């Protein structure tokens, strides 16, 4: 395992972004859609339960639903209803960028720093949301759950993203909001800054993170200083 101090000293030659809750203010919409889907099918799906699925890939969410509601839970109908309601919310104009996204991407453009997305969302959802917010053209690579064998917290999404932008993992910086995503980046030996959205970092995440920051404006300041 590389020394964390040496990792901190490595230059930042590439940046890998999570999507939901980090670039896009979408996690609250996804939670509303989960709760709506449960109500439609006669199940009480609480906010606290939905928080356990933040940043978790679909296969992990399915396992969590069966563990909680039993093997007879109508998984297919539930997630189909959630997807329809989420798209309705998004297409109604409820999906917006998180604070600081544009200035950070503008800086990376000016500096010629390659960047990727590593998301737990499906290819269809990622493409739809990124096109709607006009972000799809601003990334050199987009790695979705459909592009890897194992989703977060496994390191595969981050290792795949680093490989696709041609930057060694030790020279990348990951930006995450979720516990699962932060663990994935850390497992990939990629420095990770956590910008919390719906989940506050616990002690384990604080140990794994290079820093906890309030927003992407702070991340931009950090990268500027690190590269100066």
């Amino acid at each position: 395992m590389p020394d964390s101090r040496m990792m901190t000293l490595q230059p930042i030659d590439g940046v890998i972004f999570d999507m939901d809750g980090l670039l896009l203010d979408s996690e609250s919409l996804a939670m509303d859609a989960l709760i709506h889907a449960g109500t439609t099918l006669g199940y009480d799906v609480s906010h606290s339960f939905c928080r356990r699925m933040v940043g978790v890939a679909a296969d992990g969410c399915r396992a969590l639903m069966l563990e909680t509601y039993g093997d007879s839970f109508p998984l297919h109908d539930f997630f189909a209803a959630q997807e329809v309601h989420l798209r309705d919310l998004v297409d109604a104009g409820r999906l917006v960028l998180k604070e600081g996204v544009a200035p950070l991407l503008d800086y990376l453009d000016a500096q010629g720093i390659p960047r990727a997305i590593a998301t737990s969302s499906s290819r269809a959802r990622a493409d739809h949301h990124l096109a709607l917010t006009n972000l799809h053209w601003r990334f050199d690579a987009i790695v979705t759950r459909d592009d890897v064998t194992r989703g977060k917290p496994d390191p595969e999404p981050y290792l795949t993203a680093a490989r696709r932008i041609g930057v060694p993992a030790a020279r990348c910086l990951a930006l995450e909001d979720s516990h699962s995503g932060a663990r994935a980046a850390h497992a990939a030996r990629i420095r990770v800054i956590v910008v919390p959205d719906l989940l506050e970092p616990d002690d384990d995440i604080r140990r794994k993170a290079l820093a906890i920051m309030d927003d992407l404006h702070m991340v931009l300041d950090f990268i500027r200083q690190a590269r100066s």
Side-chain angles (χ1 to χ4, degrees):
M1 179 183 297
D3 187 292
S4 60
R5 291 167 297 179
M6 294 303 296
M7 291 178 68
T8 302
L9 294 174
Q10 290 279 358
I12 298 171
D13 293 333
V15 181
I16 305 175
F17 294 75
D18 177 45
M19 185 179 74
D20 295 299
L22 189 283
L23 287 169
L24 306 179
D25 195 2
S26 52
E27 292 289 21
S28 60
L29 301 183
M31 287 183 61
D32 287 348
L34 287 168
I35 292 168
H36 176 85
T39 300
T40 299
L41 296 172
Y43 288 85
D44 180 16
V45 180
S46 67
H47 276 89
S48 59
F49 176 78
C50 291
R51 285 176 184 271
R52 296 171 61 189
M53 291 193 278
V54 171
V56 178
D59 45 351
C61 291
R62 287 192 290 269
L64 187 58
M65 295 300 300
L66 292 178
E67 175 188 312
T68 304
Y69 292 98
D71 292 340
S72 62
F73 184 80
L75 276 180
H76 180 270
D77 292 343
F78 175 77
F79 284 109
Q82 188 247 356
E83 194 66 34
V84 168
H85 189 61
L86 177 60
R87 183 172 281 252
D88 287 345
L89 293 174
V90 168
D91 289 346
R94 296 275 302 276
L95 183 66
V96 297
L97 298 182
K98 296 286 284 187
E99 181 70 22
V101 170
L104 177 52
L105 293 177
D106 289 344
Y107 173 81
L108 298 180
D109 283 340
Q111 296 295 309
I113 301 173
R115 78 303 306 250
I117 289 174
T119 177
S120 293
S121 286
S122 67
R123 170 62 60 181
R125 183 186 291 186
D127 285 349
H128 180 245
H129 289 189
L130 292 171
L132 201 61
T133 52
N134 201 29
L135 285 183
H136 57 290
W137 62 274
R138 305 207 65 174
F139 292 88
D140 303 293
I142 298 170
V143 177
T144 72
R145 182 62 183 89
D146 296 336
D147 301 310
V148 295
T149 303
R150 297 171 299 278
K152 301 174 186 177
D154 190 272
E156 186 183 355
Y158 272 101
L159 293 173
T160 302
R163 185 171 63 252
R164 289 189 180 178
I165 60 174
V167 179
R171 290 174 176 259
C172 288
L173 176 69
L175 304 177
E176 271 287 354
D177 68 293
S178 74
H179 297 181
S180 179
R183 291 187 175 106
H186 184 265
R189 305 295 185 257
I190 295 176
R191 294 162 290 178
V192 57
I193 292 177
V194 175
V195 183
D197 181 37
L198 297 183
L199 299 178
E200 286 302 315
D202 58 22
D203 289 342
D204 178 58
I205 297 303
R206 291 184 182 278
R207 285 190 297 268
K208 287 177 167 56
L210 180 64
I212 309 294
M213 297 188 177
D214 292 339
D215 56 40
L216 293 178
H217 292 297
M218 293 180 66
V219 173
L220 173 55
D221 290 342
F222 172 85
I223 296 176
R224 278 182 175 145
Q225 292 174 16
R227 289 177 58 85
S228 65

